[in-house]
Structure formats: structure tokens, C-alpha cells
């Protein structure tokens, strides 16, 4: 029992510091109202920005292919797992993102790790924003290149570090397009200008921007009208399904297909999920109205919470982080919300800084005005009860 005792002692430290994590079980589909642990909750924390995860059109698209192609893909892409639906989806993603080519991975996490571990080599340097997603951090850890972290969206710091990095063979700047926990947009225009001046390549993780930013939902590259060298994305957020992708030049995609270990050694996604994702992207391209409604709702919530006296982060995205304080305070706020029937759990370290533990609200296009009103009333009530406002 020595092994379990050792783990138990370590876990106790996690509990004592207020960082213990548990699972909550959803017993209904991902709609604004979900059954969580047996009670009805209004969800204000999902990444299903356009409500596509439970959209009939995606379900029918997947169902048809499910009957034709079965449940699993049966192998990695380079052996038996590559179906015509993988091919169709990759072509669709490349057209959607306006790049020469695209490559599917089983998740966005694996796409980021696969790019960063394969492309920068020994003798290169990766300049990484301090608040980049964990999958980018893990990609940097696996890379043989050196990693230098620059202060969050701090262009002066990035410039200084770029100028100090001129002796490396190649320089890569890697950033989230929309920061997942802070809800702000990376200054891609400035980053690309610095990259040009200091001879660096740019990698953007567009997980939260795909389907949300830009007139046609193409993401940060459309929002800024710029073409980074590598765009990584996920199908698991606004697209409503699962899987990850990389977009860029044909030679980039050919290189990754030959050298990216998370592509080569992973079983391919199920063809039915590819078909649902294909349908989702077709919907996204013509969902300009929905996107505008989504961003208008986000702004309404942002403004109202600020007026109430809450401290917020981010702008112009459907991610609305409300800073509460230490992890236990954030945890208590999340619990009180759940008692009011609102599901938006606390985000704590190591995901965010200790003193910046938060409720990360997200809004979707399907939330009604009444549901938003109820959210704001509940925030006011709990904020006053816990003396946060
Ligand atoms: C969610 C997310 C990922 C991981 O994508 P998955 O498809 O869920 O693995 C990567 N980067 C960012 C910024 C994310 O928010």
C-alpha cells in the first residue's frame, strides 16, 4: 500500500490548497440548459459557441456516414485509417482557412504538440507567449529547440527577446489567436510585423477564433487579414465536433505528414466525425448573423458585469473571465452559481495565476435574453453576498 499512501499524501496537499478537481456528469445533450449531476443547469461555460455540437444537421451528416463507414477508423492515417471523409474534410478546412493545404490530427492538443515537436530543430528558438495554452507549452517542452517565454502580449518584451535571438538558426513566435482563459485577441498585426523585422516564423493557435472571428468565421487570419506561416486549430470548440488541424503551405503539410509523431502514431478520427465537421464548416461559412449575435451578447454581458463592479479580462470574444481572487473564493463563487442553477465552474491554478482564480464565462449564440438576464441577476446577488462587488 506504499504506492497508494504516497499518492494519497500528495493528493491531500492538493485538497488543502483548494485545488482538488472532480468530474461533473452531464446527463443530457450540450444545449444552453443541461442536466448536471441530476439537476437542470444553465450552462455559461461551454465552448460550443455556435450551438453546433447538438445541431440536427451535424447529427444527420454523421449518422449517414456512421452506417456506411462504421464507428472507428481502424488505424492510423498512414495505414488503414485514411478515408475519403478525412480527405474531403482536409480540403474543406484548407478552403475555409484559405491556405494551400490542411492536415487533420485527433485533437487540437495533438496538433500543437505535433507541430512544435517536429518543425523547430536544435539550434532554433521558440518565443512563446506567457499565457499560451498548455498544449503549446507541452509542444515547446518536447521540441529540441530552446524556448523563451515573453510577457503576455507584450510587444516590447517580444521585440527585445527577438533581437537577442538573432544568433539562433531559426526563430518561431508562437501564440494563441484568442487566449483561452483571458478572452483577449493576440495582436497578430504587431507580431507579424516584428516577425518580418527580426526574421521569424509565426505559429498561431486558432482554437477559440475558428468559427468566431472574421466575417466568415475563418479566425484570426481573417480578422487581421494576415497569413501566418502555420495556423493550428481545433474542431472541438465552435465547430462543435472533435479533432484538430494544421493549415498552411502544401510543403508544410507534406513535412508534417512525414515528421509529426502525433500524426503518424495516432489512430485516425472516425469518418463520421469528419462528415459532421464538414457539415459544420459549411454552416459556419454562412453564419455571419449568428456570429454577430454571439459577439453582441458577449458585449452585453461584459458591459453589465462591469457596471455591477466585477473585474473582467479580455475583449471582443465570447470568453468573459470574471476575476474572483484566490482559488477557494473562486470555488465558492462557482458553487453558489450552481445552487442558483448556473454552471460555470471556477478556473484555478495551474490553469491561471493563484490570485487570478476566476469564473470563466462563455456565451453561445443559443443563449436567450432571459437566460442572460438571469445570469446577470445571479452574479449581482452572489457578488454582494460574497462581498466581491
Ligand atoms: C482547447 C484548446 C486546445 C486543444 O484542443 P482540443 O481539440 O480540445 O485538444 C488547444 N489550444 C487552445 C488555445 C485551446 O483552447
Amino acid at each position: 500500500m506504499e504506492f497508494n499512501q504516497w499518492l494519497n499524501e500528495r493528493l491531500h496537499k492538493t485538497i488543502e490548497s483548494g485545488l482538488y478537481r472532480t468530474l461533473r456528469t452531464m446527463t443530457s445533450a450540450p444545449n444552453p440548459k443541461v442536466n448536471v449531476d441530476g439537476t437542470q443547469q444553465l450552462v455559461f461555460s461551454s465552448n460550443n459557441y455556435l450551438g453546433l455540437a447538438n445541431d440536427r444537421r451535424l447529427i444527420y451528416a454523421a449518422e449517414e456516414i456512421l452506417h456506411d463507414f462504421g464507428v472507428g477508423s481502424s488505424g492510423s492515417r498512414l495505414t488503414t485509417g485514411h478515408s475519403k471523409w478525412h480527405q474531403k474534410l482536409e480540403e474543406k478546412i484548407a478552403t475555409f482557412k484559405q491556405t494551400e493545404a490542411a492536415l487533420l490530427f485527433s485533437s487540437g492538443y495533438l496538433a500543437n504538440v505535433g507541430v512544435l515537436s517536429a518543425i523547430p530543430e536544435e539550434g532554433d528558438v521558440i518565443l512563446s507567449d506567457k499565457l499560451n495554452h498548455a498544449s503549446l507549452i507541452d509542444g515547446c517542452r518536447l521540441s529540441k529547440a530552446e524556448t523563451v517565454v515573453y510577457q503576455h502580449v507584450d510587444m516590447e518584451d517580444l521585440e527585445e527577446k527577438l533581437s537577442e535571438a538573432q544568433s539562433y538558426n531559426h526563430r518561431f513566435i508562437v501564440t494563441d489567436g484568442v487566449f483561452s482563459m483571458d478572452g483577449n485577441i493576440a495582436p497578430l498585426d504587431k507580431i507579424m510585423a516584428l516577425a518580418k523585422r527580426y526574421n521569424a516564423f509565426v505559429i498561431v493557435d486558432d482554437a477559440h477564433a475558428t468559427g468566431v472571428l472574421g466575417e466568415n468565421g475563418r479566425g484570426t487570419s481573417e480578422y487581421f487579414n494576415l497569413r501566418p506561416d502555420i495556423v493550428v486549430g481545433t474542431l472541438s470548440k465552435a465547430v462543435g465536433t472533435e479533432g484538430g488541424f494544421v493549415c498552411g503551405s502544401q510543403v508544410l503539410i507534406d513535412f508534417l505528414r512525414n515528421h509529426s509523431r502525433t500524426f503518424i502514431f495516432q489512430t485516425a478520427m472516425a469518418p463520421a466525425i469528419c462528415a459532421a465537421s464538414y457539415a459544420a464548416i459549411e454552416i459556419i461559412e454562412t453564419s455571419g448573423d449568428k456570429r454577430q449575435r454571439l459577439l453582441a451578447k458577449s458585449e452585453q454581458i461584459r458591459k453589465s458585469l462591469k457596471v455591477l463592479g466585477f473585474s473582467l479580462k479580455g475583449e471582443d470574444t465570447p470568453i468573459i473571465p470574471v476575476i474572483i481572487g484566490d482559488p477557494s473564493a473562486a470555488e465558492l463563487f462557482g458553487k453558489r452559481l450552481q445552487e442558483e442553477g448556473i454552471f460555470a465552474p471556477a478556473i484555478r491554478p495551474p490553469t491561471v495565476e493563484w490570485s487570478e482564480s476566476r469564473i470563466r464565462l462563455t456565451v453561445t449564440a443559443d443563449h436567450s435574453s432571459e437566460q442572460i438576464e438571469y445570469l446577470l441577476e445571479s452574479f449581482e446577488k452572489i457578488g454582494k453576498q460574497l462581498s466581491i462587488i
Side-chain angles (χ1 to χ4, degrees), residues 107-110 112 133 135 176 178 180 205 207-208 234-237 243-244:
S107 72
Y109 196 117
L110 291 166
N112 277 332
H133 189 262
S135 54
D176 280 17
V178 169
S180 52
D205 175 359
H208 290 278
T234 179
L235 303 167
S236 68
K237 309 247 153 92

Side-chain angles (χ1 to χ4, degrees), residues 50 96 98 209-225 227 281-293 295:
L50 299 173
F96 173 55
Q98 298 180 321
T210 302
V212 174
L213 291 190
E215 202 180 327
N216 303 289
R218 303 190 209 282
T220 24
S221 52
E222 186 181 27
Y223 184 86
F224 287 102
N225 193 22
R227 298 278 167 272
I281 293 172
E282 291 209 313
I283 295 168
I284 284 174
E285 286 175 318
T286 56
S287 296
D289 292 355
K290 223 176 184 185
R291 254 186 302 282
Q292 276 177 5
R293 281 204 303 278
L295 294 173

Side-chain angles (χ1 to χ4, degrees), residues 287-354:
S287 296
D289 292 355
K290 223 176 184 185
R291 254 186 302 282
Q292 276 177 5
R293 281 204 303 278
L294 170 67
L295 294 173
K297 283 173 194 179
S298 314
E299 282 323 291
Q300 183 204 341
I301 296 176
R302 247 178 228 292
K303 269 201 194 125
S304 308
L305 287 175
K306 270 190 197 151
V307 169
L308 285 172
F310 283 100
S311 157
L312 307 191
K313 281 191 176 266
E315 56 187 358
D316 300 333
T317 73
I319 302 171
I320 308 165
V322 186
I323 306 300
I324 304 294
D326 70 28
S328 6
E331 181 73 0
L332 182 61
F333 203 103
K335 280 218 179 86
R336 290 286 298 108
L337 279 173
Q338 202 167 346
E339 284 161 21
E340 297 293 326
I342 292 171
F343 190 66
I347 307 285
R348 299 165 295 166
T351 316
V352 294
E353 293 272 345
W354 187 273

Side-chain angles (χ1 to χ4, degrees), residues 90-345:
E90 282 177 343
E91 285 165 9
K92 186 82 192 167
I93 292 171
T95 310
F96 173 55
K97 289 283 190 177
Q98 298 180 321
T99 56
E100 276 176 29
L103 190 68
L104 279 171
F105 287 73
S106 295
S107 72
Y109 196 117
L110 291 166
N112 277 332
V113 169
V115 163
L116 288 168
S117 59
I119 294 184
E121 298 181 290
E122 199 169 346
D124 295 344
V125 64
I126 306 169
L127 295 121
S128 173
D129 187 288
K130 190 165 182 230
L131 294 192
N132 274 347
H133 189 262
S135 54
L136 291 173
I137 297 171
D138 291 355
C140 291
R141 286 176 180 163
L142 266 178
S143 170
K144 292 203 172 68
E146 255 182 65
T147 301
V148 172
V149 174
Y150 63 91
Q151 292 306 311
H152 178 52
V153 299
D154 183 337
M155 293 299 105
E156 271 176 37
D157 193 37
L158 175 60
E159 179 158 17
E160 197 177 313
K161 285 175 173 151
L162 274 168
S163 74
E164 286 164 6
Q166 293 303 304
S167 57
Y168 289 94
N169 296 338
H170 305 98
R171 287 148 291 282
F172 292 84
I173 304 171
V174 59
T175 181
D176 280 17
V178 169
F179 288 88
S180 52
M181 291 302 139
D182 274 30
N184 54 328
I185 302 171
L188 194 60
D189 47 352
K190 300 195 178 88
I191 290 174
M192 297 281 286
L194 285 177
K196 201 169 173 197
R197 194 170 321 145
Y198 291 94
N199 199 11
F201 304 119
V202 177
I203 306 174
V204 178
D205 175 359
D206 244 1
H208 290 278
T210 302
V212 174
L213 291 190
E215 202 180 327
N216 303 289
R218 303 190 209 282
T220 24
S221 52
E222 186 181 27
Y223 184 86
F224 287 102
N225 193 22
L226 288 166
R227 298 278 167 272
D229 300 283
I230 304 177
V231 174
V232 185
T234 179
L235 303 167
S236 68
K237 309 247 153 92
V239 181
T241 61
E242 60 178 50
F245 57 83
V246 178
C247 305
S249 64
Q250 185 63 53
V251 64
L252 167 72
I253 299 312
D254 293 342
F255 184 89
L256 289 172
R257 196 173 56 243
N258 283 277
H259 292 283
S260 178
R261 292 169 65 82
T262 57
F263 173 80
I264 299 169
F265 297 104
Q266 240 269 327
T267 298
M269 288 162 60
I273 296 299
C274 296
S277 309
Y278 187 98
I281 293 172
E282 291 209 313
I283 295 168
I284 284 174
E285 286 175 318
T286 56
S287 296
D289 292 355
K290 223 176 184 185
R291 254 186 302 282
Q292 276 177 5
R293 281 204 303 278
L294 170 67
L295 294 173
K297 283 173 194 179
S298 314
E299 282 323 291
Q300 183 204 341
I301 296 176
R302 247 178 228 292
K303 269 201 194 125
S304 308
L305 287 175
K306 270 190 197 151
V307 169
L308 285 172
F310 283 100
S311 157
L312 307 191
K313 281 191 176 266
E315 56 187 358
D316 300 333
T317 73
I319 302 171
I320 308 165
V322 186
I323 306 300
I324 304 294
D326 70 28
S328 6
E331 181 73 0
L332 182 61
F333 203 103
K335 280 218 179 86
R336 290 286 298 108
L337 279 173
Q338 202 167 346
E339 284 161 21
E340 297 293 326
I342 292 171
F343 190 66

